[in-house]
């Protein structure tokens, strides 16, 4: 996804400084053979409690260069650069250095490039100051006379800014949505504090369904079934559950990658968010699949980078493995995703089958005390209502005050995926998730011969997906909960 395009809240254009002078730059008398130097910089940050995504536009106003080093200073001691893209970053105290990478070092006169990073902050998050390119302050004007192209070849974004604009910060908000689908309304999502926020920087809850393993139930993921999910169920979300083992990804990486991308496109066409679920289950240590995860996510993140509806879930249910091992896995996979698709939300599985550790006798404090070193992530919590009851609800409520949580999978039945549909516990869970605005996906949008399946066994082949006649008790219940109005905030 292109960060600059989607940065909306707190859109701070300090580059008005650069644009002002750029617009005013008409003729600088030729002086000598000395190299002309100069630069203009724009900076935009999308900020939430404790974190931000920044986009930096760099325009070279001097003679052509073949590599560059950009330096700037954070005004607040608590501001830190985290994962970056399109440059190599380092930070010493408040001073940040970003160095060009192989494909963007060459900048002709008037040429621009864009870089960005995710950062963290503690007390405040002001825009950086003192931008310099190759040691020359970016004032928006050049010294000396560029020997090549005219400055009018500067990037449209810089030159379209009115020359009379005051060199002060300006703020713009996103326009009202033009469509009514969940993605049209909410746009690119980000994590804000412990919530999932939309393009208006407002907390939202997404409600939807998880597929069963895509190696098994493709008859339930058709144009008709997804039309029903979007229009009859009025869901916001499809989780695409790609098992890695059990005849899944490991047997045909290219084939499964392409299948996932097809389902993403089918969700996109209907204005649904799509979770790409790397469905690790057995073995429970996600590091067993670390190399596969890196290969898979590098590919799907690059392929879907321009989408604004994709959420990446890097490990379904770690089990029999410590939180530190899961964290270590996450800190290796997340940068792979960020390098290709910098602004997508990433979901991290938790210990004990994504129970925040509870099913292993632990709890959320191990995560609070040792969070994954990345921004724009949420931790997953899974439950099966007939098995997991009040004690799990207590943990979820408490953890939700400290951690961004996403229920990327839950069942209304027992943890086996079968057994009795537990309406009372399911209702208590759904009420709690609604109250906490925690997003969820129900297991499963399939016709598997088990009570967790929404559709009665074998009905997907019949091609009818709307209404309740084809649904199991669980399907009827969950559809009723999902189809109530969303009321996403747009201001
Ligand atoms: C179950 C399926 C079942 C399948 C089994 C093994 O419902 O048909 O045979 O996996 O692949 C989870 C897992 C999810 C499980 C589900 C129910 O994420 O893969 O699906 N469950 O057991 N965690 C808790 C429950």
């Amino acid at each position: 996804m292109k960060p600059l395009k989607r940065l909306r809240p707190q859109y701070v254009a300090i580059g008005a400084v650069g644009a002002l002078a750029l617009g005013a730059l008409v003729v600088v008398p030729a002086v000598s053979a000395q190299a002309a130097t100069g630069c203009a910089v724009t900076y935009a940050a999308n900020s939430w409690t404790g974190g931000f995504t920044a986009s930096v536009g760099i325009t070279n106003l001097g003679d052509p260069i073949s590599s560059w080093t950009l330096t700037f200073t954070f005004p607040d001691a608590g501001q830190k650069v985290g994962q970056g893209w399109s440059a190599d970053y380092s930070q010493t105290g408040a001073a940040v250095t970003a160095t060009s990478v192989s494909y963007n070092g060459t900048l002709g006169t008037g040429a621009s490039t864009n870089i960005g990073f995710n950062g963290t902050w503690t007390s405040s998050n002001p825009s950086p100051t003192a931008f310099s390119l190759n040691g020359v302050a970016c004032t928006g004007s050049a010294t000396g006379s560029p020997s090549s192209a005219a400055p009018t070849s500067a990037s449209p974004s810089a030159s379209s800014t009115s020359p009379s604009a005051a060199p002060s910060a300006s703020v713009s908000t996103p326009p009202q949505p033009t469509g009514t689908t969940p993605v049209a309304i909410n746009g690119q999502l980000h994590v804000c504090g412990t919530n999932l926020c939309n393009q208006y920087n407002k907390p939202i809850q997404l409600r939807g369904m998880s597929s069963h393993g895509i190696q098994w139930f493709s008859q339930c993921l058709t144009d008709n079934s997804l039309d029903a999910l979007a229009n009859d169920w009025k869901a916001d979300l499809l989780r695409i559950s790609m098992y890695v083992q059990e005849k899944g990804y490991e047997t045909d990486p290219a084939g499964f990658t392409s299948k996932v991308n097809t389902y993403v496109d089918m969700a996109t066409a209907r204005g649904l968010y799509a979770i790409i679920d790397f469905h690790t289950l057995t073995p429970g240590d996600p590091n067993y699949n670390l190399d596969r995860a890196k290969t898979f996510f590098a590919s799907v993140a690059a392929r879907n980078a321009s989408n604004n509806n994709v959420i990446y879930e890097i490990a379904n249910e770690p089990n029999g493995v410590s939180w530190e091992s899961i964290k270590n896995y996450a800190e290796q996979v997340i940068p792979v995703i960020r390098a290709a698709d910098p602004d997508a939300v990433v979901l991290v599985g938790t210990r004990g089958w994504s129970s925040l550790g509870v099913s292993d006798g632990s709890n959320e404090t191990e995560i609070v005390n040792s969070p994954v070193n990345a921004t724009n992530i949420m931790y997953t919590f899974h439950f099966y209502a007939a098995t997991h009851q009040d004690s799990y609800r207590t943990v979820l409520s408490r953890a939700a005050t400290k951690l961004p949580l996403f229920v990327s999978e839950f069942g209304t039945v027992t943890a086996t995926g079968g057994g009795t549909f537990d309406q009372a516990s399911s209702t208590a869970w759904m009420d709690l998730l609604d109250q906490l605005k925690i997003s969820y996906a129900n297991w499963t949008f399939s016709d598997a011969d088990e009570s967790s399946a929404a559709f009665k066994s074998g009905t997907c082949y019949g091609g009818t997906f709307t209404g309740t006649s084809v649904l199991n008790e669980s399907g009827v219940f969950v559809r009723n909960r999902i189809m109530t109005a969303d009321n996403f905030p747009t201001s």
Side-chain angles (χ1 to χ4, degrees), residues 50 52 72-82 91-96 119-129:
F52 63 106
F72 58 85
T73 307
F74 279 130
D76 190 291
Q79 292 174 290
K80 298 272 178 287
V81 171
Q91 181 172 355
T92 307
V96 178
T120 53
W121 57 275
T122 50
S123 52
S124 68
N125 191 29
S127 299
T129 59

Side-chain angles (χ1 to χ4, degrees), residues 195-206:
N195 293 302
L196 181 63
C197 272
N198 67 8
Q199 61 178 332
Y200 304 98
N201 211 25
K202 294 285 187 294
I204 61 162
Q205 178 196 34
L206 298 179

Side-chain angles (χ1 to χ4, degrees), residues 404-425:
L405 300 176
F406 199 118
V407 172
S408 55
E409 182 185 310
F410 79 94
T412 59
V413 298
T414 71
T416 62
T420 320
F421 160 62
D422 188 332
Q423 178 152 7
S425 177

